[in-house]
Amino acid sequence: MNVQPSEIRKGRKFDQVLDGARKVFMADGFEGASVDTIAKAAGVSKATLYSYFPDKRMLFIEVARRECGRQAQAAEATIDRSQPPAHVLRQAATHVVGFLLSDFGQRVFRISVAESDRFPELGRAFYESGPLVVRETLSSYLRQAMARGEVHVDDPEFAAEQFGELCKARLFTRMVFGVQTRFTKDEIAQVIDGAVDTFLARYGT
């Protein structure tokens, strides 16, 4: 059944269902997560769960969207757009790298990729609630910095995506292939500093 987002229904136990689903999806993956297990973890009946989410895919999408939204709001709240690019970019890189290396970030990425062939809406939802939010937030800041003469960027959206990729250097590929799943503070700092310095070397004024 292909359920559209508009078919999600909210009720008194909506957040409770999402909290339970998050635990199960992170532990068992999308395919391994059963509705029975999710309902038990959430402390609700299957009937209650289905009354909110007629489709397990939509439940996972909502879990991913809510968590990514929390991360985006936290990043937005700490970034002072009046500050110079070096300061703002370092804050942004810290949030991006932190999310990439978090247990949730790693697991939701793997689930989305693993299921993207059969259910492309899963990968699309992760992209729209994660990488796309980063691109839009950063490109908006870059336009403000351009207006102040602090950077010179022809395509803010493309530049924002480039910065996001710089934040993955050395970390992301190793993490995805299981070569390394934990990184030291010095390793993380090197990636963040490198991303900021490389970006400003290209776009700084």
Side-chain angles (χ1 to χ4, degrees):
M1 182 165 64
N2 186 12
V3 179
Q4 300 303 314
S6 59
E7 295 182 61
I8 291 176
R9 300 176 180 87
K10 293 189 177 182
R12 182 170 56 87
K13 297 185 178 181
F14 184 81
D15 289 338
Q16 188 174 325
V17 169
L18 288 179
D19 290 339
R22 183 187 188 281
K23 295 176 184 177
V24 176
F25 282 133
M26 294 305 100
D28 301 337
F30 177 80
E31 188 64 27
S34 70
V35 173
D36 287 328
T37 305
I38 293 172
K40 183 177 180 180
V44 300
S45 67
K46 287 175 63 176
T48 297
L49 190 152
Y50 278 125
S51 71
Y52 297 147
F53 297 95
D55 190 308
K56 188 172 74 169
R57 286 173 291 177
M58 292 310 306
L59 178 53
F60 175 76
I61 288 171
E62 190 63 24
V63 168
R65 181 180 289 119
R66 184 174 73 161
E67 190 67 23
C68 290
R70 285 177 177 173
Q71 298 285 342
Q73 289 175 2
E76 184 73 19
T78 60
I79 291 176
D80 184 351
R81 291 171 180 259
S82 67
Q83 294 295 314
H87 180 80
V88 172
L89 291 173
R90 183 160 277 100
Q91 286 184 311
T94 299
H95 281 285
V96 170
V97 172
F99 179 74
L100 288 175
L101 298 184
S102 68
D103 287 339
F104 178 85
Q106 293 183 46
R107 295 188 183 209
V108 77
F109 172 80
R110 289 192 175 98
I111 292 172
S112 296
V113 171
E115 302 294 337
S116 61
D117 285 342
R118 290 192 304 149
F119 307 129
E121 64 268 34
L122 294 181
R124 189 179 307 116
F126 176 75
Y127 172 76
E128 290 177 350
S129 59
L132 183 59
V133 171
V134 173
R135 190 194 76 177
E136 292 179 344
T137 300
L138 189 54
S139 62
S140 174
Y141 168 74
L142 290 175
R143 288 190 178 88
Q144 295 178 1
M146 285 172 59
R148 296 193 295 261
E150 296 171 337
V151 294
H152 179 71
V153 180
D154 294 327
D155 187 337
E157 283 77 17
F158 180 65
E161 288 195 29
Q162 284 183 312
F163 185 72
E165 293 302 311
L166 288 171
C167 293
K168 296 179 181 179
R170 183 168 288 181
L171 305 175
F172 190 68
T173 303
R174 295 184 185 187
M175 180 195 73
V176 168
F177 291 105
V179 175
Q180 186 176 355
T181 57
R182 291 291 181 265
F183 299 86
T184 67
K185 291 182 178 180
D186 288 343
E187 288 174 317
I188 293 172
Q190 183 182 33
V191 172
I192 292 173
D193 291 343
V196 174
D197 292 345
T198 301
F199 188 87
L200 291 179
R202 170 63 178 86
Y203 294 112
T205 55

